[in-house]
Amino acid sequence: MVAALRRFVLAGILAAAPCLTASADDAERKTAEGLARAALSDDWSYKFLESLTSEIGPRLAGTAAEARAAEWAVGRLKAAGMEVHTESFPMTAWERGVETAAIVKPAPQRLVLTALGGSVATPPNGVEAEAVVFRTYADLLAAPPGSLTGKVAVVTERMVRTEDGTGYGMANPIRRAGASEAAKRGAVAYLHRSLGTDTHRLAHAGALNYAEGVARIPAAALANPDADQLERLAALGPVTVHVTLTPTERKDARSVTVVGEIKGREKPDDVVLIGAHLDSWDLGTGAIDDGAGVAIVAGVGRLIAALPQHPKRTVRIVLFGAEEMDYSGPAYEKAHAPEAAHIMMVGETDFGARRVYEMRLPAGAADNVFGRTIASLLPPLGVLLLPEPARRGGSDIQELALEGVPVVSLSQHGMDYFDIHHTADDTFDKVDAAELAQNVSVWTALTYLAAETDVDFRALANAASKP
Amino acid sequence: MVAALRRFVLAGILAAAPCLTASADDAERKTAEGLARAALSDDWSYKFLESLTSEIGPRLAGTAAEARAAEWAVGRLKAAGMEVHTESFPMTAWERGVETAAIVKPAPQRLVLTALGGSVATPPNGVEAEAVVFRTYADLLAAPPGSLTGKVAVVTERMVRTEDGTGYGMANPIRRAGASEAAKRGAVAYLHRSLGTDTHRLAHAGALNYAEGVARIPAAALANPDADQLERLAALGPVTVHVTLTPTERKDARSVTVVGEIKGREKPDDVVLIGAHLDSWDLGTGAIDDGAGVAIVAGVGRLIAALPQHPKRTVRIVLFGAEEMDYSGPAYEKAHAPEAAHIMMVGETDFGARRVYEMRLPAGAADNVFGRTIASLLPPLGVLLLPEPARRGGSDIQELALEGVPVVSLSQHGMDYFDIHHTADDTFDKVDAAELAQNVSVWTALTYLAAETDVDFRALANAASKP
């Protein structure tokens, strides 16, 4: 398969290189162009994702399912021509139990919700109490201490749909901090409208953070129509709800990061790192979050590994573990801080499987020969190279970014990402093969060029930051 | 509210009737036009539906929830100016219990499904067996006797999306008859891909019919992505599934039909009947199926009741019970066969809340003065009057149609109806207020004219049926 692929890539490269007197830079450009073209008509990543989401399925951090996924990924990356190893780290695993809820008064009816990751359990028979509905999170924060004693606090503020996920980011405190804010005011449980833009009876999972020194109360996200229902009924009179959540925690769990490398032919210690996270929430099968990202970066590694010669720098494909439980970035940075100065560029793909439409390079790189080369390849791929630099990475790489590693970021269309993200609906059928292939194409051209170039992105960024 | 409404309708009528020397037919036409216009800008039905789906919620046939809905509806129809009574009939009620399923091998993962209405239960701990996946229902029917002994039969044929629901009708045997066909071949349980056009992790409920003399095996519908997953895994090797369903049956239950009437001022025994069903499946809150229909016909009754004088014939608004469990039409026909000859026209609305775009009248009526009058009102409402007659009613009225009652039918846009129908997603937020109001508008004009006219639709139909 790799041999057949090599012929395919070479054919693409040769077809794109009619001029035999081209310069070295021209050769790089032609190779990148050939890679990008090969990726566009290649369904390897799509099939990879199909297999991951079908044969492994959900892969919650720290569970046997995540370990199975890692074992599976090791085999796949090896078969794709990479040198593969794993890196394990300790974590506290959390697993969902029973999660049922209902409106008890005024009219009995079921509520759809899902426990927040890290939530404590209710008593086995649940809690039953009056619901106090806040239409905005600010309303909850404005409630005086003691005002929610014995109540179930419910925040029904809706996240805003945006192309780039800004609405999710801004709504995040509702999920992350709401339980402790409700507990400070005496609540016995906390419910919030799912951070999601759909109108389906599917709740959106996600982790919370309990504040130090505050009672830990059970917390869950309501499906959007169920939050609507509580809003309507609360406007008519008192509403009593019953909530049962029985999640469990295991403090001695471990997660694992899977790493595939194509060693640099000239500077093997200099690394271009691209990654995605292998763990997923448990409700769906983690197709768009982040099976797609894993399939994309694995596809990049396979295409680059199949080149006639490795790029000058090492290409490192990192499949992070336990991102959804907030461990991946810190664990990787802790283990790799000593080599951070040798990580020449880092990028992450964790925003679904829709097309890439914008690229941001490290500061100073867009104006450079590197930026001009990549810019020349992007029009047929439908991607804009923005002059503004990438400012920060996602959760897998933000600690590396803080260490000064230059960051590249690609923007994908995300208007419907939060319709599916963290729900049972995150399944393989939601992914479009051609859109996924476009991602592989863009990432492959970029990663190859970053690994082949002699440009020092860190030096460029330092120069750019001087007044 | 009714007094205020009367002024509003009158204002519309007067505004539309500049010519004081108009004929009687002109007066009917102007009244119908005024009613249609009033309905378009009226949110009474929308608020009615909001209240039904919020304050009552789901209302499964033969349960306390359906009885609560009936009591609620009696009050609402009375307040809307109708004479109201109820008609009760016996039925076997069926209620959902636990319903969980999982792929056990090759990789443990949850399956989303829902028991079919009328299904027997599995043992309390469920059944575990190899799944035999048939990609078409015909493949199941072609399987020889004994070939499924001890297996779980799974049919993954997908219903076809169409505007008019033809795809649902043609796929119906998969749900209705599949369990008995699987049992004839030895299966211990039957699963099928939901009769639904969405791609969500929500299963579509619906009733089955067990064949006489065949073992009754538990049966359930899989969410579409879960059917996909079983297809993919079965193509790779053996798949074991575990299914637990614990529904229960109660043979001495009763359902109730709620009837609101506006007695005819000249021919009170002649009836124009329009209906919808008040019961719903239990997973959602029955907003599009068929809360919308109930809200539409209730809105029609309210507008006609508020006229300065009642139409010549009686307008009867029927909110049927237990349609989803197949009782409504037969029960009504059984109770009303003696008066069938006096039911001048019957219509039903049970296809969601999207706009009406086509109307079919009883045979012969489109060419008649009645048809010409209604045709003159339809262009601003965006509805085509088709020359072909309505041929049959829906499940609430098909028995009356077989008795020879002339049928009218309105077609609503239905391309997305089966994305939501019979799922937990059937909630109020899916309904558009303006589209619902357009339905009320069209039905009100039609119902009023049919009740005011002297045209005998049965005689027209008889004449039209002669060679």
Side-chain angles (χ1 to χ4, degrees), chain B residues 288-336:
Chain B
I288 69 158
D289 185 12
D290 184 27
V294 168
I296 291 162
V297 297
V300 171
R302 167 175 167 270
L303 286 165
I304 294 177
L307 286 170
Q309 61 175 9
H310 286 191
K312 290 176 185 164
R313 294 166 173 165
T314 290
V315 170
R316 183 181 296 170
I317 308 299
V318 182
L319 312 185
F320 294 95
E323 189 271 350
E324 298 293 6
M325 294 303 282
D326 304 331
Y327 289 91
S328 62
Y332 196 83
E333 193 274 336
K334 187 176 171 193
H336 292 269

Side-chain angles (χ1 to χ4, degrees), chain B residues 115-128:
Chain B
L116 298 189
S119 172
V120 297
T122 63
N125 293 326
V127 294
E128 187 166 313

Side-chain angles (χ1 to χ4, degrees), chain B residues 60-78:
Chain B
L60 191 67
T63 66
E66 193 198 29
R68 264 200 309 278
E71 192 183 334
W72 174 95
V74 165
R76 292 290 172 131
L77 296 193
K78 279 184 183 166

Side-chain angles (χ1 to χ4, degrees), chain A residues 31-285:
Chain A
T31 300
E33 193 175 10
L35 286 166
R37 193 177 307 160
L40 279 183
S41 56
D42 182 13
D43 69 354
W44 186 86
S45 289
Y46 187 69
K47 296 287 187 191
F48 175 103
L49 181 58
E50 180 178 21
S51 175
L52 173 62
T53 55
S54 303
E55 295 174 59
I56 307 299
R59 41 203 184 275
L60 192 66
T63 67
E66 194 198 28
R68 263 200 311 278
E71 193 183 333
W72 174 94
V74 165
R76 293 290 173 132
L77 297 194
K78 279 184 183 167
M82 289 170 255
E83 290 178 38
V84 184
H85 71 275
T86 60
E87 303 174 11
S88 168
F89 56 88
M91 65 168 291
T92 298
W94 176 93
E95 287 194 72
R96 200 174 301 287
V98 169
E99 40 191 33
T100 58
I103 295 169
V104 178
K105 293 175 192 165
Q109 51 187 303
R110 184 176 73 113
L111 288 170
V112 175
L113 50 58
T114 198
L116 298 188
S119 172
V120 298
T122 62
N125 293 325
V127 294
E128 186 166 314
E130 188 180 342
V132 181
V133 174
F134 299 95
R135 289 189 171 236
T136 72
Y137 186 55
D139 288 344
L140 168 65
L141 299 182
S147 61
L148 299 177
T149 302
K151 307 289 174 65
V152 174
V154 183
V155 172
T156 59
E157 181 169 332
R158 186 182 291 272
M159 74 163 272
V160 176
R161 185 188 291 274
T162 62
E163 173 76 331
D164 64 358
T166 301
Y168 179 70
M170 293 187 70
N172 227 257
I174 299 171
R175 189 187 78 211
R176 290 282 181 177
S180 290
E181 292 297 339
K184 284 179 196 168
R185 292 157 178 85
V188 294
Y190 173 69
L191 306 179
H192 72 90
R193 180 191 291 275
S194 282
L195 303 191
T197 46
D198 58 294
T199 60
H200 299 292
R201 294 293 287 288
L202 295 168
H204 292 242
L208 56 61
N209 305 104
Y210 287 120
E212 292 291 327
V214 178
R216 297 181 168 213
I217 61 173
L222 291 157
N224 266 312
D226 299 83
D228 293 342
Q229 189 77 319
L230 281 175
E231 271 189 358
R232 283 190 293 264
L233 289 173
L236 298 174
V239 176
T240 304
V241 296
H242 191 109
V243 178
T244 306
L245 307 171
T246 64
T248 53
E249 222 177 50
R250 196 161 38 83
K251 295 212 178 285
D252 61 346
R254 295 190 74 81
S255 181
V256 62
T257 299
V258 178
V259 183
E261 289 190 323
I262 301 110
K263 288 288 182 196
R265 72 173 190 277
E266 291 187 5
K267 302 169 188 168
D269 293 339
D270 285 358
V271 173
V272 173
L273 190 164
I274 63 171
H277 68 86
L278 186 58
D279 69 303
S280 78
W281 279 108
D282 52 335
L283 300 173
T285 60

Side-chain angles (χ1 to χ4, degrees), chain B residues 3 21 26 47 119 131 150 179 236-237 253 297 306 333 341-342 347 374 398 442 460:
Chain B
T21 63
D26 262 0
K47 296 287 187 192
S119 172
L236 297 174
V297 297
E333 193 274 336
H342 283 279
I374 188 83
Q398 60 197 5
V442 179
L460 284 180

